[in-house]
Amino acid sequence: KRLSPFPADFLWGSASAAYQVEGAWDQGGKGPSVWDNFVRIPGKTFKETTGDVAVDHYHKYKEDVALMAEQGLKAYRFSIAWSRILPEGSGAVNEEGLRFYENLIDELLAHQIEPVVTLYHWDIPQALQDQYGGWESRQVIADFTNYATLVFNRFKGKVKHWVTLNEQNVFISHGYMLATHPPGVSDPKRMYAANHHANLANASAIKAFRELGVPGKIGPSFAYGPNYAIDSKPENVLAALNAEEYNANFWMDVYMWGEYPKAVFTWLEEQGWAPDILPGDTELLKQGAPDFMGLNYYQTATNAFNPIDGVGLGKMNTTGEKGTTEEQGIPGLFKNAANPYLEKTNWDWEIDPTGLRIGLRRIASRYRVPVFITENGLGEYDKLTAESEIHDDYRIDYLRRHALAIQEAISDGVEMIGYCTWSFTDLLSWLNGYQKRYGFVFVDRDEADEKDLKRYKKDSFYWYKKTIAANGANLID
Ligand code: GCO
């Protein structure tokens, strides 16, 4: 099959999140977020690492943007820390916080790099957690909408692509079921309630965006791992369908159609875990349909039949990172299995570029919306050589194959907005400290020693530079 070229306005980008790069956790008038406190609980993160300094992007953003410009990056996706703008979550506005993001946006625009703004990348203000339990209260819907409105009004016209919630499926399940993210709860009833409020907050912010007439496009970023059956045994095929319904449609159907998939909701009712859907909820959800689906793609999942007394979520590896394909599941619905055809990274994540093409096809035909890959990348233990170089040919190979899968999906007819690799500079891995590196730019620091935070361009930096300049025409050779 012939490959279509990438569209001329395809956004070759790269991404980050506030807590993972900024540092300056208590500077510039910022209030604490739940992560600022969670990382201080002994045993929660690798070697008790925090994002207090991270890679100090807060102070080094000009240097980082200069590197982006040198690379020819078309878009930079970053998140705004809610508690930098509203230290208490609502009420008094911290002008200094707004100015930081304004300076960053202006710096990007001055270098013809499009800012892609994520409103929420997991760092709800601690004040709202203390006041009313954060996502567990309906008050969060109004507070998130007010915060979003403030940011829309300040940056409209400058920002064309907006991301509402980053990986709602991850922050909700890790925060309220696996207890590996704040608030460290393990309670399905509370999880589904918090999740429903996040859905409503997402829709309400999108509705406000439209009512304000903000020019541009808005949508959530979802962590999508398409599900395969381990083989053609009908029970295993059903298990893969269950997993897709439970792990993907359960979130994306609500974003797009305002309704939970029937099979999952019925199951939740049986368990006594269904969220309360109040009058007006469905109407609001339907008014919040996104303009695009943002997908963070790392790997697929392979599923098999799981008997009613079989493995449960409790078996999930609690680092939330390694061993994600280990047996885990939902009794009666599905369990996960290792895919014998896939290689794994040194962090035990399966490598599956074809899965990206499959996922893009599924999402584009189920929802009929453009897709934006808002994250994809390889976490590895990179080494700085004596010559101050980083030979990350494994990353080049990984990114090249995934970008090619996108080109194939475009050729299949999928409408694509862009591709943001994860990440631009190395950054804090929430639970794994600084040893798991994703960037095009190496940052010299580790858990124990911040060193000088000096930036070094990896080989992949130059490869992506070439790829952007060629608009992807160099991917097959
Ligand atoms: C990590 C994770 C993150 C996520 C990102 C999700 O190592 O902590 O992989 O970096 O990819 O924050 O949006």
Side-chain angles (χ1 to χ4, degrees):
K1 191 169 184 303
R2 226 159 32 111
L3 282 178
S4 314
F6 285 88
D9 59 353
F10 187 77
L11 292 177
W12 294 97
S14 197
S16 72
Y19 189 69
Q20 295 178 273
V21 294
E22 281 180 11
W25 76 286
D26 60 351
Q27 293 175 36
K30 177 178 164 294
S33 82
V34 289
W35 272 96
D36 291 313
N37 289 341
F38 189 75
V39 295
R40 291 185 159 68
I41 304 173
K44 291 294 184 192
T45 63
F46 178 72
K47 295 191 178 168
E48 323 280 297
T49 318
T50 74
D52 288 3
V53 175
V55 295
D56 203 24
H57 179 67
Y58 185 78
H59 295 107
K60 293 180 182 291
Y61 75 92
K62 283 195 180 165
E63 186 183 337
D64 291 339
V65 174
L67 286 163
M68 294 173 202
E70 181 187 335
Q71 197 184 40
L73 211 64
K74 303 273 187 212
Y76 175 53
R77 172 181 175 236
F78 62 92
S79 79
I80 292 182
W82 185 344
S83 64
R84 216 178 258 298
I85 306 292
L86 294 154
E88 297 289 315
S90 62
V93 177
N94 177 35
E95 175 56 30
E96 204 179 334
L98 280 168
R99 231 174 10 243
F100 166 69
Y101 295 108
E102 185 157 73
N103 290 340
L104 172 60
I105 289 170
D106 290 345
E107 190 73 12
L108 290 164
L109 292 173
H111 291 89
Q112 289 82 46
I113 302 166
E114 187 181 319
V116 175
V117 172
T118 305
L119 292 170
Y120 185 74
H121 203 123
W122 306 355
D123 46 357
I124 192 168
Q126 182 65 45
L128 302 186
Q129 193 66 38
D130 295 342
Q131 259 170 56
Y132 54 68
W135 295 104
E136 287 189 72
S137 163
R138 278 183 179 252
Q139 181 57 38
V140 76
I141 305 161
D143 285 342
F144 181 69
T145 309
N146 289 337
Y147 154 63
T149 300
L150 191 78
V151 174
F152 292 150
N153 280 332
R154 180 72 170 232
F155 301 129
K156 69 175 167 206
K158 292 184 175 182
V159 176
K160 292 194 215 134
H161 291 92
W162 299 82
V163 172
T164 48
L165 304 179
N166 177 73
E167 297 192 352
Q168 182 183 334
N169 51 330
V170 172
F171 78 77
I172 290 290
S173 61
H174 285 251
Y176 296 91
M177 180 78 104
L178 303 167
T180 50
H181 284 191
V185 168
S186 188
D187 181 332
K189 177 83 189 156
R190 288 170 66 184
M191 175 177 88
Y192 290 107
N195 183 58
H196 187 58
H197 303 150
N199 282 330
L200 292 164
N202 179 71
S204 169
I206 294 178
K207 182 170 174 251
F209 181 85
R210 304 243 161 82
E211 284 169 358
L212 291 165
V214 183
K217 292 185 166 31
I218 188 163
S221 279
F222 183 76
Y224 182 41
N227 294 279
Y228 301 146
I230 186 83
D231 60 26
S232 58
K233 186 178 179 192
E235 285 80 359
N236 292 335
V237 175
L238 177 64
L241 176 65
N242 285 336
E244 186 81 11
E245 290 267 71
Y246 185 92
N247 284 332
N249 304 350
F250 180 68
W251 278 275
M252 286 191 277
D253 282 9
V254 180
Y255 293 146
M256 295 307 307
W257 301 330
E259 284 174 25
Y260 291 97
K262 276 262 163 12
V264 183
F265 206 80
T266 307
W267 180 80
L268 288 183
E269 284 175 330
E270 281 165 23
Q271 308 295 315
W273 298 339
D276 295 329
I277 300 193
L278 302 187
D281 282 3
T282 303
E283 198 189 353
L284 173 60
L285 292 173
K286 284 182 190 295
Q287 287 174 301
D291 298 309
F292 62 84
M293 190 61 75
L295 296 179
N296 294 352
Y297 176 80
Y298 291 93
Q299 55 182 336
T300 46
T302 301
N303 309 109
F305 175 69
N306 190 12
I308 200 76
D309 55 354
V311 298
L313 266 187
K315 289 204 172 176
M316 190 182 272
N317 186 309
T318 49
T319 64
E321 282 289 324
K322 277 218 172 195
T324 45
T325 53
E326 197 170 273
E327 255 202 12
Q328 52 184 261
I330 312 245
L333 293 180
F334 63 89
K335 67 178 176 185
N336 292 340
N339 189 319
Y341 300 102
L342 298 176
E343 277 170 51
K344 288 184 173 185
T345 71
N346 285 325
W347 285 86
D348 270 355
W349 288 34
E350 287 170 342
I351 304 176
D352 186 5
T354 304
L356 174 54
R357 182 180 184 181
I358 292 171
L360 289 171
R361 290 270 295 277
R362 280 191 194 166
I363 299 311
S365 55
R366 186 173 178 90
Y367 302 117
R368 306 265 154 196
V369 279
V371 184
F372 194 167
I373 293 295
T374 39
E375 281 181 33
N376 169 246
L378 177 65
E380 269 302 339
Y381 303 93
D382 297 328
K383 286 278 163 292
L384 192 62
T385 67
E387 296 75 39
S388 297
E389 290 170 348
I390 302 95
H391 302 303
D392 57 343
D393 44 308
Y394 39 88
R395 182 169 291 106
I396 295 173
D397 181 62
Y398 180 100
L399 295 175
R400 188 186 66 79
R401 287 155 68 201
H402 285 81
L404 198 54
I406 292 176
Q407 191 176 8
E408 287 163 345
I410 291 171
S411 313
D412 295 336
V414 176
E415 193 183 334
M416 294 290 314
I417 295 174
Y419 177 53
C420 285
T421 69
W422 186 264
S423 51
F424 184 72
T425 62
D426 288 339
L427 40 68
L428 169 74
S429 174
W430 302 90
L431 304 176
N432 307 288
Y434 295 92
Q435 32 156 17
K436 191 180 188 194
R437 297 174 177 273
Y438 283 92
F440 290 126
V441 174
F442 183 94
V443 180
D444 197 14
R445 72 154 298 167
D446 57 31
E447 289 72 31
D449 186 355
E450 277 150 26
K451 302 185 188 168
D452 53 7
L453 297 168
K454 214 174 145 197
R455 273 77 167 139
Y456 297 89
K457 288 166 266 181
K458 303 181 191 178
D459 289 355
S460 59
F461 177 96
Y462 299 102
W463 169 80
Y464 202 51
K465 179 178 176 162
K466 248 188 346 205
T467 303
I468 298 169
N471 197 26
N474 62 327
L475 294 175
I476 12 169
D477 46 35

